[in-house]
Amino acid sequence: METVRVALMGGGTVGSAFAQLLPAHQARFSALGVKVELARVLVRDIEKSRPGIPSRLLTNNPKGFLDDVDVLVEVAGGTTTAGDLVLQALEMGLPVVTANKALLAERWDELREYAEQGDLHYEASVMAGTPIIGALQSLWGNQTLEMHGIVNGTCSYLIRRMEEGASYEQAFKEAGDLGYLEADPNLDVGGIDSAHKICVLGRLTVDPGLSWEKVLRRTRGIQHLTPELLRQARAEGYAIKLVASLYPENGEWVAAVRPVRLPESHPLVAMGSGRNAMVYRGEPVGQLVFAGAGAGGGVTASAVLGDLYRVLLGTPGHLPIPSVAPLPQQAVERLEEV
């Protein structure tokens, strides 16, 4: 039986959850004729206890980390060290599984050729365990009209707490105490996390060369929202949400992130309570709604493990759309920005 040796970069919440899932899947791996072995785990602090990861596997030295392994799983995040290691693995011919939406969004020019070759697997990068990446790739047979999504749970939490009467400052502190905020909170509240995600989805569905810089220029966060503004919207039958959108405008595909007013009957409001949600409109398929858990160690690790199965089966990674999708002639939904 062949042994597949996995190098894991990142031993935090997702990395530990991934390591704990592996033993339960060994019987399935055996049915594929392989044994999956966690070879080594790259972390910043080797003294920290990491559930499911034997301390003997921990290292904080990236030198030689990829020696004698068959696949890299990267769940550390960031665009520098993680990006350099991912590119090194791809240059060595190793398949890569990553949950790193920031890396995919910001260093796409370096990664694109490998993604087009099928060497890059990234289902977990958007909406965690809710399989939006694979679903959207299966929709290439449609004319994409538009997409709108709530893809950052932290902002949804902050908005909900302000609707309940908390000030922005109170809600922000609560989110930090609960561990919801990124190390750089602006990634959440400034809309950057959502922008990373819609950028990844845009390249998958409508434009393989969608510019991160253009997406960033159309990104606004929620820092200006107030409890009064949110409650007034509810009184008028609307909900204010941070929405990431993809739509045609002035002869090109545009991705944007901003707070918008949505009718309470809108599927993003109905389906997005406490969950990530995405509305896709295409022709001839019509409207599709995807909703589910968009964060969490086990949830994200499940998608990472799903991608590892794709590697074991020899299935190519997630391919960007081959060329720019034609612009639709139908009218698209215009959301009211706040």
Side-chain angles (χ1 to χ4, degrees):
M1 184 175 294
E2 178 187 359
T3 297
V4 175
R5 289 169 54 81
V6 175
L8 173 63
M9 182 178 187
T13 303
V14 177
S16 291
F18 172 77
Q20 291 177 81
L21 283 175
L22 283 179
H25 286 256
Q26 289 299 342
R28 289 192 197 174
F29 296 149
S30 296
L32 297 176
V34 298
K35 175 185 177 182
V36 176
E37 176 182 294
L38 195 58
R40 59 185 69 96
V41 183
L42 183 64
V43 296
R44 291 190 182 92
D45 181 2
I46 60 174
E47 302 300 326
K48 183 178 178 180
S49 176
R50 300 175 188 275
I53 303 176
S55 59
R56 59 182 172 80
L57 298 182
L58 298 177
T59 179
N60 56 9
N61 184 6
K63 186 176 182 180
F65 180 68
L66 298 175
D67 292 349
D68 303 317
V69 300
D70 303 293
V71 57
L72 171 65
V73 172
E74 185 274 307
V75 294
T79 60
T80 53
T81 303
D84 293 343
L85 195 66
V86 164
L87 283 165
Q88 181 185 344
L90 292 168
E91 290 164 0
M92 293 169 61
L94 297 177
V96 170
V97 175
T98 181
N100 194 336
K101 67 273 183 181
L103 173 62
L104 292 165
E106 297 187 29
R107 296 185 65 174
W108 182 243
D109 288 346
E110 299 166 89
L111 295 169
R112 179 174 173 178
E113 66 174 300
Y114 299 105
E116 291 174 339
Q117 294 167 11
D119 299 330
L120 199 54
H121 302 253
Y122 49 96
E123 180 64 69
S125 66
V126 182
M127 292 178 68
T130 303
I132 189 68
I133 299 286
L136 290 177
Q137 193 171 18
S138 72
L139 290 170
W140 283 0
N142 290 272
Q143 162 71 75
T144 296
L145 304 179
E146 61 186 320
M147 290 169 50
H148 303 286
I150 296 172
V151 292
N152 184 276
T154 300
C155 287
S156 295
Y157 173 83
L158 293 171
I159 288 172
R160 178 173 63 82
R161 287 294 293 122
M162 284 192 286
E163 286 180 331
E164 294 169 349
S167 68
Y168 176 84
E169 291 74 21
Q170 288 173 319
F172 185 91
K173 183 179 184 306
E174 289 176 10
D177 291 342
L178 291 167
Y180 293 168
L181 290 169
E182 295 273 5
D184 175 3
N186 188 56
L187 292 174
D188 289 314
V189 300
I192 309 302
D193 174 75
S194 296
H196 285 147
K197 293 170 180 175
I198 198 65
C199 190
V200 171
L201 298 183
R203 292 164 180 160
L204 188 78
T205 54
V206 297
D207 184 355
L210 187 66
S211 164
W212 164 242
E213 288 73 21
K214 286 186 177 181
V215 178
L216 193 58
R217 286 199 293 271
R218 288 178 174 263
T219 295
R220 294 171 56 234
I222 66 168
Q223 300 96 322
H224 65 289
L225 299 183
T226 64
E228 294 75 22
L229 184 64
L230 294 166
R231 288 199 297 269
Q232 180 63 33
R234 285 290 188 178
E236 296 171 358
Y238 290 85
I240 295 175
K241 302 290 185 181
L242 183 72
V243 174
S245 298
L246 185 71
Y247 54 89
E249 183 178 85
N250 297 327
E252 66 176 349
W253 287 102
V254 167
V257 176
R258 67 281 185 239
V260 300
R261 276 168 52 106
L262 298 173
E264 290 185 339
S265 60
H266 195 284
L268 285 180
V269 179
M271 300 295 293
S273 178
R275 299 183 293 177
N276 278 194
M278 180 68 65
V279 174
Y280 171 94
R281 287 184 60 232
E283 179 62 37
V285 74
Q287 178 173 287
L288 301 174
V289 182
F290 305 89
V299 172
T300 307
S302 71
V304 173
L305 185 57
D307 274 348
L308 180 58
Y309 272 107
R310 292 172 64 96
V311 172
L312 298 177
L313 291 167
T315 304
H318 303 97
L319 309 176
I321 197 165
S323 59
V324 179
L327 297 171
Q329 301 304 310
Q330 297 94 323
V332 298
E333 184 178 14
R334 293 299 181 189
L335 303 183
E336 180 187 351
E337 297 189 19
V338 178

